Amino acid sequence: MTQHAIPDGSADNAGSGGSGQGAGYGGPRDWWRESVVYQVYVPSFADADGDGMGDLRGITDRLGYIAELGADAVWLTPFYPSPLADGGYDVADYRDVDPRHGTLDDFRALLARARSLQLRTIVDIVPNHCSERHPWFVEALASPPGSAARDRFVFRDGGGPDGAEPPADWQSKFGGPAWTRVPDGQWYMHIFASEQPDLNWDNPDVIADFERTLRFWLDLGVDGFRIDVAHGLRKDLTPPLRDTRGGDTAPLNAPPSGEDHPFWDRDEVHDIYRVWRKITDSYAPPRIMVAEAGVSAARLPLYTRPDELHQAFNFFHLRCPWGAEAFREVIDMSLTGAASVGSLPTWVLSNHDVVRHLTRYALPEGTDPRAWLMSEGPTPAPDEARGRRRARAAALLTLALPGTTYLYQGEELGLPEVADLPAEALRDPMWERTGRTVKGRDGCRVPLPWTATGSSYGFGPGGSWLPQPAGWGGYAVEAQTGRPGSFLELYRTALALRRGFRGDEDFTWLPSAEGELAFRKGAGLECRVNFSGAPLPLPAGAVPLLFSEAPAPDVPTPDAPTPESAPESAQGGLLLAPDTAVWLDARGPVEG
């Protein structure tokens, strides 16, 4: 039996600002330690004006749904003015709202509605790069080499004859070189799309402007920030630029190859976050920050030291293959790493950058989801029933762990990846930059279905910017609400139960059978997951709170029957079916 004693962080991680009497909305100032945060991908959540693109008014109208689900906070992906070359992560103005998404008054209304529902609001900040249409970059292109305007970015002379070769071998995460040449012969760096020039974080203008941006949104009333590409801001730009041996072409959010990389996970990046932490702590109550940092397990805790960020996304959990030993290793590693700096891990299964986990779990072991997408889904054939069972079990596993869970919109509906989007509909810049060899992330960004029928299945009064597949209405909120055993009701029940077990952050592994994962959170919640191929008996006298077992038949239809109870063994005890999880009340039966 292994136990992790998690520091409560009340001193180290509470921050220095505020009264210490609560975080507003009736909650504690360290609410973020064991919260549930619902990620809204703004273009695809809800469309109020009918132009096919999600907007702030649409989100405001649907915030009640997120509150009823049981979330504590909502994280909004970028809604700033943008040409949308990369879904809004190419920002042209960091302190305004794109007209396609609304206005600043719409954002103020969203904040007010969220507060009335006891929801906190976290917004995306994109500090590594901006849009090519940002006024700074427009000025840089109009200015000569060596100018102050160009120094806000990473401009360099080229190599080879006449400077016709890129300054270094650095590769873009979206495919191809990380350099684009401008008419006067210089090259600028963009670790993502060419429309996203990297900012130079050695430049004092950049440092000061982002501090102004943080204060702008904090003064409006946001509760925190999700920091995009948090591990990429500082680069080693000492000439000559260092070789990366062909560049780092690993998938998004994967740790960089090798140590001392010239532009990933530089030690100097932490100086930025220490300053930002002082800014967020100066507000009452202190606001929070979460890092998107694709770094090694050994390096990840450095981002959440007491004087830096509050949380960092746990992509090891997201990438974990299905299996008891694999999940046990990731959970141990995550808890130990976070505890070393007095924090708690985050847990995430899907986001807007990866194939949805229900579909990943449906694919044969070892399948590369990116290669599978290029076959448009049929090869190899996913086992959709298995994917649903595993996704439901993974939800209970994840929500039972101490720390914060980030839910990606639609996972609570059991949405699969849309693998067969037509080529002409694809918007992800990866598609063209890789010569149409990587399909990209559009399949996990298809707009949500709210109603079983109607225009865009209730997404909005018009169409949707990405085509929704036939039968999408079977997954709709309307189709699943009140249906026992549906994905939506499983999540609603789990989140309601989870609230009763928050506050006790200790974690203990329990004795388990081969192929089973069993642990207890605190003194009250026990979770068991059957990864084996055969039913496993539950402990004698077990008091079940919630099973993950999927409805039968294995199709998302509103009238699908649901088992009334767990299966029983020949001896009359309860059995846990394969690819199934259960929550038990570790306090035992209540005496009558």
Side-chain angles (χ1 to χ4, degrees), residues 57-71:
R57 287 198 294 118
I59 296 168
T60 302
D61 292 343
R62 299 287 190 178
L63 283 176
Y65 165 78
I66 298 174
E68 291 170 6
L69 182 67

Side-chain angles (χ1 to χ4, degrees), residues 358 384-385 388 392 413-416 449 452 470-476 478-480 483 485-488 550-561:
L358 183 147
E384 296 180 0
R388 282 190 286 273
R392 293 166 66 91
L413 303 176
L415 292 186
W472 206 233
Y475 297 99
E478 177 185 68
Q480 297 195 44
R483 175 163 63 88
S486 69
F487 257 93
L488 179 56
D554 288 311
V555 293
T557 55
D559 55 352

Side-chain angles (χ1 to χ4, degrees), residues 436-486:
R436 299 193 170 193
T437 61
V438 175
K439 202 166 186 181
R441 301 157 292 173
D442 292 316
C444 68
R445 299 175 175 185
V446 175
L448 292 190
W450 293 93
T451 58
T453 58
S455 174
S456 65
Y457 300 109
F459 169 67
S464 60
W465 69 281
L466 284 172
Q468 298 161 303
W472 206 233
Y475 297 99
V477 173
E478 177 185 68
Q480 297 195 44
T481 296
R483 175 163 63 88
S486 69

Side-chain angles (χ1 to χ4, degrees), residues 493-543:
T493 302
L495 266 61
L497 287 170
R498 185 182 185 276
R499 286 181 179 270
F501 294 100
R502 292 201 292 200
D504 190 342
E505 299 172 354
D506 285 346
F507 178 90
T508 305
W509 290 113
L510 301 175
S512 57
E514 184 176 355
E516 181 185 35
L517 207 61
F519 61 86
R520 185 172 63 241
K521 179 191 177 298
L525 179 60
E526 180 176 330
C527 180
R528 291 181 174 268
V529 188
N530 183 359
F531 292 91
S532 77
L536 294 174
L538 294 180
V543 181

Side-chain angles (χ1 to χ4, degrees), residues 236-254:
D236 180 4
L237 300 174
T238 306
L241 298 181
R242 288 192 288 131
D243 186 13
T244 61
R245 295 171 300 282
D248 180 26
T249 57
L252 292 174
N253 304 325

